[in-house]
Amino acid sequence: MTREPVEALTCQGLTYAFGGTKAVDGLDLTVREGEVFGLLGPNGAGKTTAIRCVTTLLPLPPGTVRVFGHDAATERMAVRRLLGYVPQQLSADAALTGRQNVALFARVFDVPRRERAERVRQALAAVDLDDAADRLAGTYSGGMVRRLELAQALVSAPRLLILDEPTIGLDPIARTSVWDRINAVRAATGMTVLVTTHYMDEADQYCDRVGLMHRGRIRALGTPAALRRGLGERRRAEGGTAAAAATLEDVFRDVAGRGLDELSGGFRDVRSTRRTARRVG
């Protein structure tokens, strides 16, 4: 008997404002169980704010966000138990060992005491940090730090893993290593992944579907291939040349626009992104 597909995440009319500025403006979004969903968009599009709503870090009205059927406004603890979260800002403590960092998150996420040591070991093994587990995190390379943060998020065995710019500032080899670990865990557990990234090659290669967000709403949604094909067909219909196939970056530019006012976020957003990139570099 085939099990009916489950919606891992639904956002319905999600709106969030900072003062008079709407960061998220009536967002409608569905993420299916087991898929890797890429939430793309320029700085200031509202992606991180939306994620903070989903992870219950920001208050929201009932009925706007559900995680595996649980209301993020009224069932906050139930939702948190289903989530793993790797924020854009670094969360590992350089003064602790890798094992101590993951053990701390095991306690925060209320992993049963009798299971903690084994769950910590499994999380570190899943991201290939067994040999470095008892070294201070301050001695880790940028790629190792990101994998450590992935282990921190995985220690609670989440059904939905949320990654906000998980490979920012990493070199191509380190980026591939992080994604290899994500995909290995997903293949083993069936975990759903929601990721934001500005690397269009990552979104094209690893995401089952992507949503391009601009000014607080989803403006384009589909598989990377379908979005690329749709833009190419529209260009040809408008009399453009068919010599070069459309890329996902072309789709991104088409949705977000090329103007500096549209593509730039606030000063605080840019400063935070640069700080994270320097620390993992």
Side-chain angles (χ1 to χ4, degrees):
M1 182 176 179
T2 304
R3 185 169 66 91
E4 289 295 320
V6 174
E7 293 179 347
L9 169 66
T10 56
C11 299
Q12 188 171 21
L14 175 62
T15 299
Y16 198 90
F18 296 97
T21 303
K22 282 187 178 180
V24 182
D25 186 14
L27 175 66
D28 293 321
L29 175 66
T30 299
V31 177
R32 302 163 184 160
E33 182 181 23
E35 75 174 336
V36 177
F37 187 95
L39 188 60
L40 313 180
N43 291 332
K47 305 183 302 297
T48 294
T49 300
I51 282 177
R52 288 174 178 165
C53 289
V54 172
T55 55
T56 76
L57 296 177
L58 293 175
L60 65 160
T64 52
V65 174
R66 292 187 177 276
V67 177
F68 289 101
H70 294 281
D71 193 314
T74 61
E75 302 175 85
R76 295 174 68 189
M77 289 309 299
V79 167
R80 289 176 182 177
R81 292 188 183 102
L82 295 168
L83 298 179
Y85 177 38
V86 178
Q88 188 179 115
Q89 293 76 21
L90 298 184
S91 57
D93 189 332
L96 299 178
T97 67
R99 192 182 309 279
Q100 289 169 336
N101 268 287
V102 179
L104 176 61
F105 272 69
R107 292 194 295 273
V108 168
F109 283 97
D110 201 27
V111 174
R113 184 185 298 271
R114 66 181 179 278
E115 299 178 17
R116 284 178 193 166
E118 178 59 17
R119 292 272 284 274
V120 168
R121 187 198 66 76
Q122 290 175 352
L124 287 163
V127 299
D128 198 24
L129 285 178
D130 315 63
D131 294 340
D134 296 309
R135 280 171 43 194
L136 292 178
T139 68
Y140 285 12
S141 68
M144 291 171 71
V145 169
R146 273 320 206 193
R147 284 190 280 130
L148 174 60
E149 292 183 315
L150 182 57
Q152 291 172 170
L154 293 174
V155 73
S156 61
R159 292 181 67 187
L160 173 60
L161 177 65
I162 299 178
L163 308 167
D164 194 1
E165 298 284 351
T167 58
I168 185 171
L170 300 183
D171 64 63
I173 294 175
R175 285 168 56 195
T176 299
S177 176
V178 169
W179 273 106
D180 284 347
R181 296 300 92 205
I182 293 168
N183 287 326
V185 174
R186 178 187 172 225
T189 66
M191 176 179 66
T192 306
V193 179
L194 171 63
V195 59
T196 75
T197 181
H198 283 130
Y199 296 119
M200 294 300 104
D201 60 321
E202 287 187 357
D204 208 347
Q205 182 175 354
Y206 298 115
C207 293
D208 298 304
R209 291 190 304 145
V210 298
L212 282 118
M213 192 172 179
H214 188 41
R215 293 181 176 174
R217 295 183 181 180
I218 297 294
R219 308 292 178 172
L221 177 68
T223 66
L227 292 176
R228 287 189 277 103
R229 184 170 58 250
L231 177 59
E233 291 172 352
R234 180 162 63 80
R235 283 177 169 177
R236 288 191 289 274
E238 293 172 351
T241 62
T247 66
L248 195 58
E249 185 170 342
D250 292 331
V251 177
F252 182 99
R253 291 181 179 276
D254 184 67
V255 169
R258 293 175 180 269
L260 289 176
D261 289 341
E262 289 183 299
L263 287 176
S264 61
F267 175 78
R268 182 178 301 175
D269 185 20
V270 174
R271 182 178 61 185
S272 174
T273 299
R274 287 178 176 173
R275 185 187 304 121
T276 301
R278 283 198 302 270
R279 290 179 63 189
V280 298

